[in-house]
Amino acid sequence: MKTFKPSTIMAALVSSGVAFAPFSLYAQESPEITVDEVEVDNIEQDPVERIEVRGFSTSLIQSLNQKRFSDTVSEQISADDLGGLPDVSMADALTRLPGISAVRTGGQAAQINIRGLSGDFVFSTLNGREQVSTSGSRAIEFDQYPSELISEAAVYKSPKASLIEGGIAGTVELRTASPLAIEEQHKFSANVRGMYNDRASEISDAKEYGHRISFSYQGKFLDDTLGVSLGYARLFQPSVSTQFIGLAYNGLVDVDGVEGDVQGPDSCPECEYISEGFEMQHKGGEETRDGYVAAFEWAPIETFTLKADAFISKFDSEAFARGFRVKLGGINAGITNPVVVNNSVIGGTFSRTDNSFTRVELVNDDNQDFDSVTNVGVNAHWEITPDLAVQFDVSRSSAESDFRNGLLWSLVGDDANAANPVFDENVQISYLLNGLDLPDLGFNQMAAFTDLDRVMVSKYGIYPYENKDELDAYRVDFQYYVDTPIISGFEFGYRYSDREYNNDRSVFEYGNDSAFSVSQPPLRLTEDMVEQIDWSGDFAYFPSYLSIDLNSALNAWFPDGRPMPVQTWGPGAAGVINGPGTGPATAWTLQESGDVFETVNSAYLMANINTEIGDLPITGNIGVRYVKSKQSSTTLQRATQLITDPESGVTVELSDPTAGAQNIADEVGLINNFYRPTVISHEYNDVLPSINLNFKLTDDTQLRVAAAKVMGRAPINRFAANASTNVEVVTAFQHRDSGEITLSTPTARVNGSARNSPYLEPFYATQYDVSWEYYFSETEGALVIAGFYKDIESFVEDIEIDPYDFEANGIVTPDSVQVPVFLTPEFSGQEAELARDENGDPIFVTVPTENGSYSTAVNNAEGGYIRGLEIAYTQIYSMLPGMLSGLGVSASYSYTESEIQRTLGNGVYAANLPGLSENVATLTVFWEYEGFETRVSSRYRDAFVSQQVAVNDQVVNFDSELVIDYQASYEINDNWSVLFQVNNLTDEPTKSYFSSPEQTGTIQYFGTQYFLGMTYQL
């Protein structure tokens, strides 16, 4: 048997029980050392002082010890008891580690960034097994994981061959409790906390109070051969925010008329950028998370252990957004007194014209998101001989997300009491952005926003977005121990995984968002349906508006029952052969639905190093991992042919059965014969070498160096092959008197999209790490300085080609389209009326087509380097006299830079790599004395690029932020303790901008959360 001779400090840790957690961690991931194999020579004879630590200090010392004896460059989090971590979720807990930051969603940390790379580059496992996510991509939403149910977490910044591939940024390993590892025979813990949000009172119908409850039990039975671990954690909290959101700068128009002005893009050098508009909203709702964990561990003999474990988390969110959505009207709006900064219009007066659709929408959005994650597995560990061990592991990870985006929009009319209400087209919007401060606003319709005789509900829509993600994995790992001067053992293994991702889209829409529809008339509001809402605080000068009770409005609008969303081609979709006429095409509900399949076979071989050069001990590992991947996607491919009428010369697109075209019916019975269903597949192989070396310079100092080739697959939803083409709608109107026909555009542009593809290959990088670690001998703590360099080979990049030669690329498009002619309306909102010839037949005009844009994704975009420096310092000042001996500090700072710049959004601007903050820092100051503990924690990150969610996802630059939390607790006795906690102490807002700070993106306040509770332990 391989004998491990611990240092004096390690012997003390083993004797105190602190070191058992990391050894159980290695039992699966790196089994060259296990607790059963540790032969602690002469521990009882040596005068070793037992280390006694309590509270927050316990977690810090355990974490440092795990980091110290790890065989990779890593960061660790450890709880002294199940339920011991104070954070709301593991997302909050992980952001306390060096080089790790989070993107706040609704004020809470959700996805994390590691070393300047966003969540899509972060790989995560639970108990050593790959996890799927509710995000619809590969990015794990760590707020799904209650900290009360996780006993350990590790962030591997340098990989080794035995780790599952997939993390360019790093791999996050979460672990639940192992019941046979506890010292006690039985352990029980209960935690109850009440919660209050101080901003909820400003938002009508928002809840101010919430709670956190958790229970956990661990026990050993049958002479310590059977272990049981059970846990439950519940979070109920209000979700509130008050916000202003600017919309993207996606329009170009010459507003200043300055001669010789050439600051704009090549397509329009004299033009300035104008915004789509902005939003002002109160957001409220509630979030409920229920987490469950269970583990059963059986060790009938010393050489065999069988463990089955399960983790389930259900996270439900119901939220509303009320206020205004201002649509400025684009390039056709009337623009006066424009204010231009950096070639962008940041203020002025926008007026509605016949072509602009400038308007103010009164918003009552209703969103529901029901997410669930389930991870189950069985693991067997068998020590076949003293030198040979094997583990078998079978697991299943599944996630479901049912997101429903609902909207109820209202507009101002001339008279809501009229038999045929007419939209008030006299719309003027004046505004001036103030960068990262709230803007100045003015509306000529402001007095009507709360007038029941003017405001009418004009549109209702619901857009479900359902994801299912399932992964089955099978794994076998061997460890063979040898006694040689250099190699201490070998590890090798094989893993197979089979993943299936399903995405379903559907839709229901009624009414109109830019005017009042005659065929789907607006809803007259009554007193019992509405409540007037006034703004307060810094937002108090915003105009009041009507909050509408959704159920009352919909019951009045749809007395026969609320319609359900469906997947449908829509009567206006090309290829529909039984459609009832023209109408909106909603073919995206079918084309963006489908299945993705991914199978992976991988094998690895790794040698563990334990040697000396002179008097310098060296440990580590060197290995290689081989990966064979296959990814497939269902899709609907266009199967048509172009036929030219010899008499008229008109070319039309027809179904081509010889190309596989089929009659495909949707959920409402519309049949389309332009497509054929098929499956597209792609396979590739990878070889990933890695090396980790640890040089023990002194008893307290060590130097780590590591190098590896790493890969990260594209987000799973990016493999969906949902390519599509469409012809822009051209409208034709005939003047009722002159008979003159006017076209909205002289040609019809053909556009296409294939932003997702199963042919996307992984991201690749070669990375190098160095870490100098000094562990204090007089007190508990450490100073760590680390540097890293990542050479990123490529990224998946969204690009747009305009114009795109569709024919040359094998895509069938028509040469012309037939456009129906309508009579010019006599009043706003009049039902469309077809123009007819002398025979009473509808009139059509032939409009030629032209090549438009094609949006696609490539993974050969230029890469570049990411490099940085990390410093972490932790110390408990036990050398200080008296009560000061409980004082301690834990701090970290990381600097990250990159040469990589990527054009994001719609090509309007170039920005840094998403998720990269140059400077990230954390600081926790804590003090413990005779059962009392208090600490202040702060997390700072520089400006970074990420997505904000408005009408659509928008990529923006987020401003720097500093989030401060406070916690105090008192241990009444061995069983009872009380806790007071404050999150986001200063109500730090989220602020963002587009190309420059003048282009306001987000100004969002979430409130401060207060917790008060008690903990019982037995």
Side-chain angles (χ1 to χ4, degrees):
M1 177 182 293
K2 182 68 179 176
T3 301
F4 174 70
K5 175 77 172 178
S7 65
T8 302
I9 292 178
M10 188 60 193
L13 291 168
V14 170
S15 66
S16 67
V18 172
F20 280 93
F23 277 97
S24 65
L25 177 68
Y26 299 148
Q28 180 164 328
E29 283 298 344
S30 184
E32 67 270 16
I33 303 174
T34 66
V35 177
D36 291 337
E37 295 157 20
V38 177
E39 296 182 4
V40 184
D41 296 334
N42 301 320
I43 286 181
E44 295 183 345
Q45 295 135 354
D46 295 338
V48 175
E49 179 183 359
R50 180 183 173 97
I51 297 176
E52 293 286 353
V53 288
R54 302 176 66 86
F56 185 65
S57 302
T58 307
S59 177
L60 287 178
I61 296 303
Q62 289 181 359
S63 299
L64 284 176
N65 180 62
Q66 291 176 16
K67 178 182 179 70
R68 183 174 188 174
F69 293 98
S70 172
D71 57 352
T72 66
V73 178
S74 64
E75 308 294 342
Q76 310 280 344
I77 295 176
S78 179
D80 52 346
D81 289 298
L82 190 63
L85 294 176
D87 307 278
V88 172
S89 71
M90 289 308 300
D92 292 302
L94 291 167
T95 57
R96 293 193 267 118
L97 299 175
I100 299 177
S101 54
V103 178
R104 291 194 294 166
T105 301
Q108 304 279 353
Q111 295 183 12
I112 65 170
N113 305 147
I114 300 179
R115 289 180 164 179
L117 289 168
S118 62
D120 283 331
F121 300 92
V122 176
F123 187 76
S124 182
T125 61
L126 179 68
N127 294 326
R129 305 168 184 132
E130 182 179 359
Q131 300 180 80
V132 297
S133 173
T134 59
S135 65
S137 63
R138 295 189 193 272
I140 297 296
E141 295 182 318
F142 288 98
D143 58 345
Q144 186 89 40
Y145 296 82
S147 63
E148 296 94 332
L149 303 183
I150 303 297
S151 60
E152 296 173 357
V155 178
Y156 295 98
K157 295 179 177 178
S158 69
K160 56 183 177 180
S162 60
L163 285 176
I164 303 174
E165 74 287 342
I168 282 188
T171 296
V172 177
E173 162 69 355
L174 305 179
R175 284 199 170 266
T176 57
S178 179
L180 287 181
I182 64 173
E183 291 185 2
E184 303 87 343
Q185 202 68 25
H186 301 278
K187 292 178 67 174
F188 174 77
S189 176
N191 190 319
V192 178
R193 301 181 194 179
M195 177 256 188
Y196 169 74
N197 186 298
D198 66 357
R199 190 170 281 272
S201 59
E202 300 179 3
I203 300 174
S204 175
D205 296 334
K207 289 181 170 60
E208 299 179 62
Y209 297 96
H211 58 262
R212 289 176 64 185
I213 302 172
S214 66
F215 305 94
S216 65
Y217 168 76
Q218 295 168 267
K220 296 187 292 186
F221 305 90
L222 304 179
D223 296 326
D224 295 348
T225 62
L226 178 65
V228 177
S229 176
L230 301 171
Y232 168 73
R234 178 180 178 84
L235 168 71
F236 175 81
Q237 65 181 8
S239 173
V240 300
S241 65
T242 308
Q243 63 187 29
F244 173 88
I245 295 182
L247 305 183
Y249 281 75
N250 53 14
L252 276 169
V253 63
D254 184 8
V255 300
D256 56 12
V258 175
E259 187 174 350
D261 180 9
V262 291
Q263 298 183 57
D266 293 340
S267 59
C268 187
E270 74 281 4
C271 290
E272 287 75 37
Y273 289 105
I274 61 172
S275 169
E276 182 182 339
F278 49 86
E279 300 175 351
M280 304 167 290
Q281 292 181 347
H282 285 124
K283 297 188 72 174
E286 56 192 53
E287 297 175 343
T288 304
R289 183 188 64 202
D290 290 293
Y292 310 83
V293 67
F296 300 90
E297 196 168 11
W298 182 47
I301 57 177
E302 290 185 358
T303 58
F304 180 80
T305 301
L306 181 67
K307 182 181 178 182
D309 57 84
F311 174 90
I312 300 173
S313 177
K314 297 182 178 181
F315 202 151
D316 297 340
S317 172
E318 298 187 32
F320 59 80
R322 299 170 181 162
F324 301 90
R325 180 171 292 117
V326 176
K327 305 304 286 287
L328 295 175
I331 62 175
N332 294 317
I335 306 174
T336 56
N337 302 318
V339 179
V340 180
V341 177
N342 291 332
N343 208 50
S344 298
V345 177
I346 65 164
T349 299
F350 283 66
S351 303
R352 184 181 177 99
T353 66
D354 290 340
N355 298 318
S356 72
F357 301 107
T358 305
R359 62 191 184 273
V360 179
E361 301 166 354
L362 279 69
V363 172
N364 281 263
D365 289 351
D366 176 56
N367 297 329
Q368 296 179 326
D369 194 2
F370 304 105
D371 295 342
S372 65
V373 170
T374 301
N375 292 286
V376 296
V378 177
N379 180 273
H381 177 93
W382 180 25
E383 188 177 319
I384 303 173
T385 71
D387 296 325
L388 179 64
V390 62
Q391 294 86 41
F392 300 95
D393 193 272
V394 179
S395 64
R396 180 178 180 83
S397 178
S398 62
E400 293 187 21
S401 176
D402 183 358
F403 176 70
R404 292 174 176 263
N405 172 223
L407 58 88
L408 193 72
W409 292 349
S410 304
L411 297 172
V412 174
D414 286 336
D415 182 4
N417 301 300
N420 295 302
V422 177
F423 170 68
D424 181 6
E425 295 188 346
N426 180 23
V427 181
Q428 290 188 344
I429 301 162
S430 298
Y431 77 102
L432 177 63
L433 300 181
N434 292 315
L436 299 182
D437 294 321
L438 293 173
D440 300 321
L441 302 171
F443 306 92
N444 71 321
Q445 293 179 328
M446 185 170 63
F449 291 158
T450 56
D451 188 350
L452 290 178
D453 293 327
R454 301 284 303 280
V455 175
M456 302 188 74
V457 178
S458 63
K459 183 175 182 177
Y460 169 66
I462 184 167
Y463 308 87
Y465 196 153
E466 298 180 54
N467 295 318
K468 293 182 180 179
D469 204 348
E470 298 176 336
L471 182 142
D472 295 310
Y474 310 88
R475 179 174 177 174
V476 58
D477 298 273
F478 293 89
Q479 298 83 40
Y480 181 65
Y481 304 100
V482 297
D483 191 5
T484 71
I486 298 177
I487 305 299
S488 62
F490 293 95
E491 297 183 37
F492 52 96
Y494 167 78
R495 177 179 179 270
Y496 171 80
S497 67
D498 185 2
R499 184 171 185 173
E500 181 177 346
Y501 168 81
N502 173 266
N503 177 41
D504 281 318
R505 303 294 305 274
S506 51
V507 63
F508 172 77
E509 290 184 327
Y510 187 87
N512 196 332
D513 58 353
S514 61
F516 291 158
S517 171
V518 174
S519 60
Q520 298 174 335
L523 173 67
R524 173 79 163 87
L525 293 169
T526 56
E527 292 280 356
D528 59 318
M529 296 182 188
V530 301
E531 176 187 0
Q532 179 174 321
I533 303 299
D534 303 318
W535 299 81
S536 60
D538 294 339
F539 295 78
Y541 65 94
F542 285 7
S544 301
Y545 63 92
L546 294 178
S547 168
I548 301 173
D549 181 78
L550 179 67
N551 291 326
S552 297
L554 294 181
N555 290 337
W557 219 358
F558 307 108
D560 296 329
R562 193 178 307 180
M564 297 299 295
V566 293
Q567 285 187 357
T568 176
W569 297 105
V576 172
I577 59 177
N578 64 334
T582 59
T586 53
W588 57 267
T589 61
L590 286 92
Q591 291 172 326
E592 294 185 13
S593 301
D595 301 307
V596 171
F597 309 96
E598 179 183 84
T599 58
V600 178
N601 288 271
S602 60
Y604 73 93
L605 173 64
M606 185 173 75
N608 293 310
I609 300 171
N610 188 355
T611 187
E612 292 184 357
I613 298 180
D615 294 329
L616 181 64
I618 302 173
T619 58
N621 55 70
I622 182 171
V624 64
R625 190 174 186 90
Y626 171 78
V627 184
K628 182 177 182 180
S629 306
K630 179 180 180 180
Q631 52 210 33
S632 307
S633 172
T634 61
T635 187
L636 296 175
Q637 288 185 333
R638 201 93 161 188
T640 59
Q641 58 182 330
L642 297 179
I643 303 295
T644 302
D645 186 338
E647 295 183 4
S648 65
V650 176
T651 300
V652 295
E653 184 180 12
L654 298 176
S655 173
D656 185 3
T658 62
Q662 298 181 16
N663 289 341
I664 303 174
D666 63 17
E667 293 182 351
V668 298
L670 294 178
I671 298 174
N672 193 310
N673 64 1
F674 269 19
Y675 296 90
R676 67 183 183 96
T678 189
V679 177
I680 302 175
S681 299
H682 177 55
E683 296 185 44
Y684 53 90
N685 303 320
D686 292 296
V687 177
L688 307 173
S690 62
I691 184 171
N692 291 271
L693 295 176
N694 181 26
F695 302 87
K696 188 175 181 181
L697 305 179
T698 69
D699 286 343
D700 301 320
T701 307
Q702 58 190 20
L703 178 69
R704 299 182 190 272
V705 293
K709 182 179 180 181
V710 293
M711 64 171 285
R713 297 180 181 86
I716 191 74
N717 57 329
R718 298 302 302 267
F719 293 153
N722 53 4
S724 63
T725 58
N726 63 82
V727 181
E728 287 186 347
V729 176
V730 179
T731 57
F733 286 97
Q734 184 181 60
H735 195 276
R736 290 178 181 269
D737 296 326
S738 67
E740 181 182 358
I741 296 176
T742 304
L743 297 174
S744 58
T745 59
T747 59
R749 283 172 56 90
V750 179
N751 299 314
S753 174
R755 289 191 178 274
N756 302 324
S757 169
Y759 296 111
L760 290 176
E761 293 196 351
F763 315 95
Y764 293 102
T766 303
Q767 66 177 47
Y768 308 91
D769 289 88
V770 59
S771 175
W772 178 83
E773 303 168 7
Y774 173 62
Y775 295 88
F776 306 137
S777 56
E778 299 298 325
T779 63
E780 292 84 38
L783 174 64
V784 178
I785 302 175
F788 65 92
Y789 182 94
K790 293 178 183 287
D791 183 12
I792 309 290
E793 293 183 14
S794 65
F795 288 100
V796 173
E797 193 86 70
D798 291 332
I799 63 172
E800 183 175 353
I801 304 171
D802 191 0
Y804 181 77
D805 192 337
F806 287 89
E807 182 179 359
N809 286 278
I811 300 177
V812 176
T813 59
D815 294 330
S816 61
V817 293
Q818 296 295 298
V819 177
V821 180
F822 295 88
L823 295 175
T824 54
E826 297 175 297
F827 55 88
S828 178
Q830 182 182 8
E831 189 71 20
E833 181 181 354
L834 283 169
R836 299 181 182 274
D837 59 19
E838 60 275 8
N839 297 321
D841 297 324
I843 299 175
F844 290 84
V845 294
T846 301
V847 178
T849 61
E850 65 172 347
N851 286 329
S853 66
Y854 193 75
S855 299
T856 188
V858 295
N859 61 342
N860 59 353
E862 183 179 354
Y865 69 76
I866 301 175
R867 61 191 180 192
L869 176 70
E870 297 171 350
I871 302 173
Y873 165 72
T874 299
Q875 188 165 14
I876 302 171
Y877 302 108
S878 55
M879 81 293 285
L880 296 177
M883 65 174 61
L884 294 179
S885 62
L887 186 65
V889 169
S890 180
S892 69
Y893 167 76
S894 65
Y895 174 78
T896 307
E897 67 172 12
S898 175
E899 66 177 351
I900 302 170
Q901 284 200 337
R902 302 173 68 193
T903 301
L904 300 170
N906 53 15
V908 172
Y909 69 98
N912 289 329
L913 192 64
L916 189 148
S917 292
E918 281 196 349
N919 297 284
V920 175
T922 66
L923 173 63
T924 299
V925 179
F926 59 94
W927 178 61
E928 301 173 1
Y929 182 69
E930 294 186 352
F932 177 74
E933 176 186 311
T934 183
R935 64 179 179 267
V936 176
S937 301
S938 60
R939 305 190 303 270
Y940 171 82
R941 69 177 303 182
D942 259 355
F944 64 100
V945 173
S946 189
Q947 284 190 340
Q948 72 174 16
V949 179
V951 177
N952 301 300
D953 291 349
Q954 299 176 159
V955 180
V956 294
N957 297 281
F958 279 84
D959 193 28
S960 60
E961 61 182 26
L962 174 64
V963 180
I964 300 175
D965 302 327
Y966 172 75
Q967 181 171 312
S969 63
Y970 178 67
E971 192 175 275
I972 301 173
N973 54 43
D974 290 340
N975 302 116
W976 290 96
S977 61
V978 294
L979 176 140
F980 174 67
Q981 185 176 348
V982 184
N983 289 346
N984 195 15
L985 185 63
T986 61
D987 192 10
E988 178 76 355
T990 291
K991 295 185 177 183
S992 69
Y993 55 90
F994 290 93
S995 297
S996 60
E998 295 83 9
Q999 299 179 347
T1000 309
T1002 301
I1003 301 174
Q1004 190 173 35
Y1005 290 85
F1006 306 103
T1008 299
Q1009 293 178 324
Y1010 299 86
F1011 294 87
L1012 179 63
M1014 299 191 70
T1015 299
Y1016 176 78
Q1017 292 181 318
L1018 180 65

